[in-house]
């Protein structure tokens, strides 16, 4: 496909994915918040079967919200469901993933220095991990483990850890992270589609028929929506992590990701508990300390930048022209990346000097540039650039 068209499709899908994602996660945060803030209603309300109520003010108006203990006596004429937010987030995400990582498998998904896969094999592994991830998760939630939510949670974490390790040994770093995100996102959307919605439909139909409500449906839906609550922050983290090669391109990126799962789940836990009025600041402190620990642990090793090395700027220019300008020039030569990527132009020595801090960040510290090392930059060349930058990125 023409790179310009791909770029537009990418933009439209990404935009739609972010908007629908905000709608989904926003509604989901709101309902978790609501549930946790309900108060005991006055007796005239509890006589009607209302289990909790709350008042709120927003956008210049008062809102009175009431949640029924079981169900209203009569079905209202219009009942609002929240499902398309989830479905459209998943659909736009899946199409975007296919466009970037499957149609562009050779560019984005396959890193020959990790594994020399053919596009068909790589795409099959990707799809199998997404479908398999859902099936295994769903199966586990149907076993008696569902009653021991902590044990189940730990098993799920270990499985995700295994998955990210396996994917990090299979795909490019970005591809591996994005697939962990796709598995988690599919589980979340699958929970809505296969469990939460059917349980709500069953609830509505019992109320319409005037039958008692089967509580097992509610319990199943509750477990799944608890999982979704804790998966939200790690998922969003993965989606933005593409901008931070220090994370996704780290040698132990799968382990880094697991630490981030723990940090973000702790933060979510803190807020859920806080809504219920029993916040524990220690949880926040734990998340903060773990973040600092992670920062220290993954700090790039001091480069072998040698301040005494004699650097020839002509050699710097030739390294960068050879390894970078295919994708970072006023006239790119790369067939896929046809305009200066990230707005970074590296044609002249003064361009190179201006971008030196970012060259340091991407080509020396995180080593995720050149992109999937397409132009086969050597470590000696990275060291040479490091020395050049350490000496002030001179242009003469
Ligand atoms: C095969 C294409 C390709 C090559 C070769 C390449 N890059 Fe990039 N570069 C990209 C793409 C794609 C992006 C945008 C995605 C991103 O930012 O991760 C990018 C973004 C960047 C950015 C901008 C983002 C930021 O961190 O500010 C910098 C800086 C960068 N590259 C530096 C380099 C350097 C230095 C080299 C050579 C050592 C290089 N690139 C070689 C494709 C390439």
């Amino acid at each position: 496909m023409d790179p310009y068209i791909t770029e537009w499709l990418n933009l439209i899908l990404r935009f739609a994915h972010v908007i629908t994602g905000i709608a989904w996660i926003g509604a989901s945060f709101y309902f978790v918040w609501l549930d946790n803030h309900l108060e005991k209603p006055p007796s005239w309300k509890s006589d009607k079967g209302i289990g909790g109520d709350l008042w709120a003010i927003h956008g210049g108006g008062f809102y009175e919200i009431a949640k029924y203990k079981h169900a209203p006596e009569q079905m209202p004429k219009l009942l609002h469901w929240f499902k398309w937010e989830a479905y459209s987030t998943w659909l736009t995400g899946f199409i975007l993933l296919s466009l970037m990582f499957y149609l562009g498998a050779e560019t984005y998904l396959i890193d020959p220095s990790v594994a020399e896969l053919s596009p068909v094999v790589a795409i099959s592994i990707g799809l199998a991990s997404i479908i398999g991830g859902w099936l295994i998760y769903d199966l586990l939630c149907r076993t008696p483990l569902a009653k021991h939510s902590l044990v189940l949670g730990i098993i799920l974490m270990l499985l995700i850890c295994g998955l990210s390790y396996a994917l990090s040994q299979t795909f490019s770093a970005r591809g591996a992270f994005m697939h962990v995100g796709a598995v988690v996102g599919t589980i979340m959307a699958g929970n809505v589609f296969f469990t939460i919605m059917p349980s709500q439909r069953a609830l509505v139909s019992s109320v319409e028929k005037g039958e008692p409500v089967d509580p097992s449906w509610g319990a199943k839906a509750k477990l799944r929506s608890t999982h979704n609550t804790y998966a939200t922050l790690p998922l969003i983290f993965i989606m933005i992590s593409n901008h931070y090669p220090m994370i996704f391109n780290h040698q132990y990126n799968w382990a880094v990701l697991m630490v981030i799962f723990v940090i973000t789940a702790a933060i979510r836990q803190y807020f859920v508990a806080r809504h219920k009025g029993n916040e524990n600041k220690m949880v926040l402190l734990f998340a903060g300390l773990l973040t600092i620990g992670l920062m220290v642990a993954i700090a790039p090793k001091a480069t072998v930048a040698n301040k005494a090395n004699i650097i020839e700027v002509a050699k710097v220019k030739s390294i960068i022209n050879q390894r970078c300008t295919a994708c970072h020039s006023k006239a790119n030569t790369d067939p896929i990346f046809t305009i200066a990527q990230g707005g970074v132009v590296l044609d002249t020595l003064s361009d190179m000097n201006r971008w030196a801090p970012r060259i340091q960040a991407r080509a020396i510290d995180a080593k995720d540039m050149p992109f999937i090392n397409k132009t086969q930059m050597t470590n000696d060349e990275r060291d040479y650039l490091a020395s050049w930058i350490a000496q002030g990125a001179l242009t003469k």
Side-chain angles (χ1 to χ4, degrees), residues 358-379:
R358 298 308 303 161
I359 297 177
Q360 169 86 36
R362 306 291 297 256
I364 296 162
D365 293 343
K367 296 190 178 58
D368 83 309
M369 285 294 146
F371 196 85
I372 313 199
N373 208 3
K374 197 169 176 185
T375 49
Q376 295 169 352
M377 190 174 201
T378 65
N379 282 333

Side-chain angles (χ1 to χ4, degrees), residues 2-15 99:
D2 182 272
Y4 184 68
I5 308 276
T6 320
E7 198 74 343
W8 265 101
L9 280 176
N10 188 314
L11 169 63
I12 293 166
L13 282 165
R14 192 176 300 255
F15 188 60
L99 178 75

Side-chain angles (χ1 to χ4, degrees), residues 304-312 380 383-384 386-388 391:
V304 283
N306 190 339
K307 294 209 175 187
N309 258 2
I310 303 208
I311 296 295
E312 293 164 35
D380 286 346
D383 293 345
Y384 201 84
S387 303
W388 169 66
Q391 292 174 19

Side-chain angles (χ1 to χ4, degrees), residues 222-241:
K222 179 87 195 138
L223 178 74
R224 307 295 180 114
S225 65
T226 307
H227 288 163
N228 279 10
T229 302
Y230 286 105
T232 305
L233 296 196
L235 177 77
I236 295 178
F237 178 87
I238 294 176
M239 296 305 148
I240 64 169
S241 68

